[in-house]
Amino acid sequence: MDLNWLDDVLVLLEEGNMSRAASRRHITQPAFSRRIRGFEGWLGTDVLQRGANSVDISPALRANEVEIRALAARIRDLRSKIAHFDPAGSTVSLAAQHAPVFSTFPDMAVHAKRRFPALRFRLRPGNLRDCVTMFLRGDANMLLCYESESAGPLPFGDSIRRVIWGNDYLIPVVGGALRYAVKHDGTLAANTPAIVYPENSYFGEVLNKSERAFATQALSENPFCETAFSSGIKELVLNGMGVGWLPFSMLYKEVESGEVISLANHLGKEQLKIALYADVRDEIAVSLLDVWNAAHR
Amino acid sequence: MDLNWLDDVLVLLEEGNMSRAASRRHITQPAFSRRIRGFEGWLGTDVLQRGANSVDISPALRANEVEIRALAARIRDLRSKIAHFDPAGSTVSLAAQHAPVFSTFPDMAVHAKRRFPALRFRLRPGNLRDCVTMFLRGDANMLLCYESESAGPLPFGDSIRRVIWGNDYLIPVVGGALRYAVKHDGTLAANTPAIVYPENSYFGEVLNKSERAFATQALSENPFCETAFSSGIKELVLNGMGVGWLPFSMLYKEVESGEVISLANHLGKEQLKIALYADVRDEIAVSLLDVWNAAHR
DNA sequence: CCCTCACCCATACAATATGTATGAGCAGAC
DNA sequence: GTCTGCTCATACATATTGTATGGGTGAGGG
């Protein structure tokens, strides 16, 4: 039960040797060997490259040593938390894509604070997948994210409630010296450097689907930097490192001031909704959805 | 092994009834009951308040349902990660705290591009712990982060090389309407709202150690929002939601324009270094360290 | 080149853990 | 008052996991 297999694997990683690991675990080597085989059965893959009288630990297992340690620590924390339980405080944890944190959360925070003056927030930023994972796992009470018009709402079950806060759109922009590379007709050389989204990121998928130029590695002749971190993309764009696709709400001020130039007229734009999700069983979260829903009627 | 006990507990939480939970787990009710007793033995405390013919789940267990789900999910993730391990590609993956991405990475990117014109980057933003974890795990080739003067270099082994790119410092700032709440002598009411760092975040630890007012929940009378996401803090500060501590490099423009007011004269500032780390065995990463080291002599 | 040592796995059997079947006791609903 | 569904205890069956033993292998040292 509990930590056995995690401890087994950690000890194996430390010793690099079944016999010594078995000794550390206070069982015989054949018993330890059988445990590790059981672990491999559960994984569906081997973690040891076995010689006739030696074993090598696979890179996959070695690369995950930190994670395994973290898991073991977390399970110990869980035990402690249950054993020394103290009723929780009144903080709402919000998993949010980076971009909506900029444009929407301050306004939302104002509305929330009016209704629940003592309410506190914990912002958990991340890419969409990480945010959805945090939310579904219960690491966050609510989820704040963009939705493209083509994809529609996230496919949650009936126990998850959804509210729309507003609209936004993704536009291609350039800044710094690259502004002067834009031709009079609004076009740009195809080999202009681009700051691109990973194809498995949310914006990457949305823009790939619409085949937007400069959006991902596949759609760019010169993808200089790849990151899902839209704030970082904004900085690189402002510094003239390349073309980037960003939510308009993140840089409307810079567009207004001329610090960046929108290429939407030529390269198009991608419509987005800003959505909030919460579990219907979470009373505080549902109350907040109500507050934010009312604020946008 | 593995998830059994976590799944047992989750099913019990869902059903609230040993017999139904046992059925869900495809064992008989006495076997299930014995498992839960085993779990209680491991915890060292009971998680059920037992009646003659019913059980009530303890608040301690119920309050931790989210954490137990998260653990179960994380163990599944671990399994998947080990089973589908893929060595890193030919792009340099850089784990970076959010803040240095703004101030330093564009300059660094220029220098890197001069030396290796075809080089590509993958930015992996996160808090310091997550970045260190990514780096040590091999999910990132390099680590870009702040170091406080009091803490010094991260305690890596001999196989990790370190280079300093530059200096920065954390300052307390206000924006929006809160600028007018600052008194003539530069002080602010102690119950002014604050956007605070988690105490286990990097900046949280640095600022806690120096006991900087408004920096963490412990050091604030009115901690309105807690997040480790410095870009988000900046947005909230700009919107006047509260006092925030931020690296000067992130908002020197706004300080110059008056959009935010620095309270460093009264509340102090925290000196930081900007450091880069790479594994000595990673040739491309070490070459980049050389490039960046040379750029700052 | 040979021997020794340490290592890993297979196998058989022992010990322990965990399952089922059954029944007692209890409390709520009708 | 009776019935139903629930929980726990107990006895026994089955599965899991431990030890003991031995075979095979390869590296290192003489």
Side-chain angles (χ1 to χ4, degrees):
Chain A
M1 150 168 288
D2 30 280
L3 293 166
N4 268 3
W5 63 280
L6 288 166
D7 286 339
D8 287 344
V9 171
L10 286 174
V11 166
L12 178 59
L13 281 157
E14 286 163 19
E15 297 291 343
N17 172 314
M18 301 282 249
S19 300
R20 288 204 303 269
S23 182
R24 289 265 306 275
R25 298 293 288 139
H26 303 105
I27 60 175
T28 62
Q29 177 271 318
F32 189 82
S33 180
R34 197 191 263 145
R35 283 186 180 183
I36 298 302
R37 281 196 182 282
F39 175 61
E40 286 173 321
W42 171 68
L43 280 176
T45 192
D46 283 356
V47 296
L48 296 177
Q49 288 148 348
R50 290 176 167 84
N53 68 344
S54 67
V55 294
D56 287 323
I57 293 167
S58 72
L61 187 66
R62 208 169 276 292
N64 280 281
E65 177 171 353
V66 163
E67 170 66 5
I68 295 167
R69 276 192 201 287
L71 269 170
R74 196 165 164 177
I75 291 171
R76 288 188 190 94
D77 285 348
L78 173 67
R79 180 204 225 166
S80 180
K81 267 157 52 183
I82 296 176
H84 307 101
F85 175 63
D86 182 34
S90 57
T91 303
V92 168
S93 183
L94 179 69
Q97 280 173 301
H98 296 105
V101 168
F102 286 83
S103 54
T104 58
F105 184 70
D107 267 352
M108 290 163 56
V110 167
H111 285 96
K113 200 173 179 182
R114 278 191 204 125
R115 178 65 175 75
F116 304 104
L119 186 69
R120 290 176 180 172
F121 286 99
R122 193 188 199 191
L123 275 178
R124 310 288 300 272
N127 61 40
L128 181 63
R129 277 187 176 70
D130 290 342
C131 289
V132 169
T133 298
M134 280 190 269
F135 177 59
L136 290 177
R137 277 185 191 177
D139 282 340
N141 302 105
M142 309 188 80
L143 170 64
L144 167 64
C145 62
Y146 280 117
E147 285 171 5
S148 70
E149 299 230 315
S150 59
L154 289 165
F156 292 125
D158 291 337
S159 66
I160 301 298
R161 194 175 149 210
R162 169 178 178 265
V163 142
I164 292 297
W165 169 265
N167 291 290
D168 205 343
Y169 46 94
L170 282 169
I171 54 170
V173 289
V174 289
L178 270 187
R179 287 173 294 175
Y180 312 114
V182 180
K183 294 165 185 166
H184 278 67
D185 62 353
T187 62
L188 208 61
N191 67 349
T192 303
I195 294 97
V196 300
Y197 288 101
E199 284 165 26
N200 64 357
S201 68
Y202 186 68
F203 286 159
E205 286 179 358
V206 167
L207 293 166
N208 249 355
K209 183 177 282 184
S210 307
E211 297 186 356
R212 302 293 183 185
F214 302 105
T216 60
Q217 295 219 24
L219 295 164
S220 308
E221 281 191 28
N222 190 3
F224 160 68
C225 179
E226 180 189 72
T227 183
F229 183 36
S230 43
S231 317
I233 294 178
K234 180 181 174 182
E235 283 308 301
L236 291 166
V237 163
L238 285 170
N239 277 272
M241 303 305 302
V243 185
W245 282 79
L246 289 165
F248 180 70
S249 61
M250 283 186 73
L251 38 64
Y252 70 94
K253 287 180 182 173
E254 286 85 0
V255 169
E256 283 175 0
S257 71
E259 246 189 302
V260 299
I261 292 177
S262 168
L263 305 173
N265 283 346
H266 181 73
L267 299 176
K269 64 187 183 185
E270 200 69 29
Q271 202 68 31
L272 299 170
K273 284 190 167 63
I274 300 163
L276 283 145
Y277 294 87
D279 193 305
V280 296
R281 293 164 292 191
D282 191 327
E283 289 183 12
I284 294 184
V286 167
S287 299
L288 276 171
L289 280 193
D290 289 338
V291 168
W292 288 327
N293 198 32
H296 264 252
R297 279 208 193 98
Chain B
M1 151 168 290
D2 33 278
L3 293 167
N4 267 2
W5 63 279
L6 289 165
D7 287 338
D8 286 344
V9 170
L10 287 173
V11 166
L12 177 59
L13 281 157
E14 286 161 20
E15 297 292 343
N17 172 313
M18 302 281 250
S19 300
R20 289 204 303 268
S23 181
R24 289 266 306 274
R25 298 294 287 139
H26 304 105
I27 61 174
T28 61
Q29 178 271 318
F32 189 82
S33 181
R34 196 192 264 144
R35 283 186 180 184
I36 298 302
R37 282 199 182 280
F39 175 61
E40 286 173 320
W42 172 68
L43 280 177
T45 191
D46 284 355
V47 295
L48 295 178
Q49 289 148 347
R50 289 175 168 84
N53 66 344
S54 68
V55 295
D56 287 323
I57 294 168
S58 72
L61 188 67
R62 206 169 277 293
N64 281 282
E65 176 170 355
V66 151
E67 171 65 6
I68 295 167
R69 275 191 203 290
L71 269 169
R74 194 164 166 178
I75 290 172
R76 287 189 191 93
D77 284 348
L78 173 66
R79 180 204 225 167
S80 180
K81 266 158 47 186
I82 297 177
H84 305 103
F85 180 66
D86 182 34
S90 61
T91 302
V92 170
S93 181
L94 181 68
Q97 280 173 300
H98 295 106
V101 168
F102 286 82
S103 55
T104 58
F105 185 69
D107 267 351
M108 289 164 56
V110 166
H111 285 96
K113 201 172 176 181
R114 279 193 204 125
R115 178 65 176 76
F116 304 103
L119 186 68
R120 291 177 179 173
F121 286 99
R122 192 185 196 194
L123 275 177
R124 310 288 300 272
N127 62 39
L128 181 62
R129 277 188 176 68
D130 291 342
C131 289
V132 169
T133 296
M134 281 189 269
F135 178 59
L136 289 178
R137 266 197 229 167
D139 282 343
N141 303 105
M142 308 188 80
L143 170 64
L144 168 65
C145 63
Y146 281 118
E147 286 171 5
S148 69
E149 299 228 318
S150 58
L154 289 165
F156 292 125
D158 291 338
S159 65
I160 302 297
R161 195 175 147 209
R162 170 178 178 264
V163 141
I164 292 298
W165 170 265
N167 291 289
D168 206 343
Y169 45 94
L170 282 169
I171 54 170
V173 289
V174 290
L178 270 186
R179 287 172 294 175
Y180 312 113
V182 179
K183 294 165 186 168
H184 279 66
D185 62 354
T187 62
L188 209 60
N191 66 349
T192 304
I195 295 97
V196 300
Y197 288 101
E199 282 165 26
N200 64 358
S201 67
Y202 186 68
F203 286 159
E205 286 180 357
V206 167
L207 294 166
N208 249 355
K209 183 177 282 183
S210 307
E211 297 185 358
R212 302 294 184 184
F214 301 106
T216 59
Q217 295 219 24
L219 294 165
S220 308
E221 280 190 29
N222 190 4
F224 161 67
C225 179
E226 181 188 71
T227 183
F229 184 35
S230 43
S231 316
I233 294 178
K234 181 181 174 181
E235 283 307 300
L236 291 166
V237 164
L238 286 170
N239 277 270
M241 304 305 303
V243 185
W245 280 80
L246 288 164
F248 179 69
S249 60
M250 284 186 75
L251 39 63
Y252 71 93
K253 287 179 183 175
E254 286 85 0
V255 170
E256 283 175 358
S257 71
E259 245 188 304
V260 298
I261 292 177
S262 167
L263 305 172
N265 284 346
H266 182 73
L267 299 177
K269 62 187 183 186
E270 200 70 28
Q271 201 69 32
L272 300 170
K273 284 189 168 65
I274 301 163
L276 284 144
Y277 294 87
D279 193 305
V280 296
R281 292 164 293 192
D282 189 328
E283 289 182 12
I284 295 183
V286 167
S287 300
L288 276 172
L289 281 192
D290 289 338
V291 166
W292 287 328
N293 197 31
H296 264 252
R297 280 207 192 97

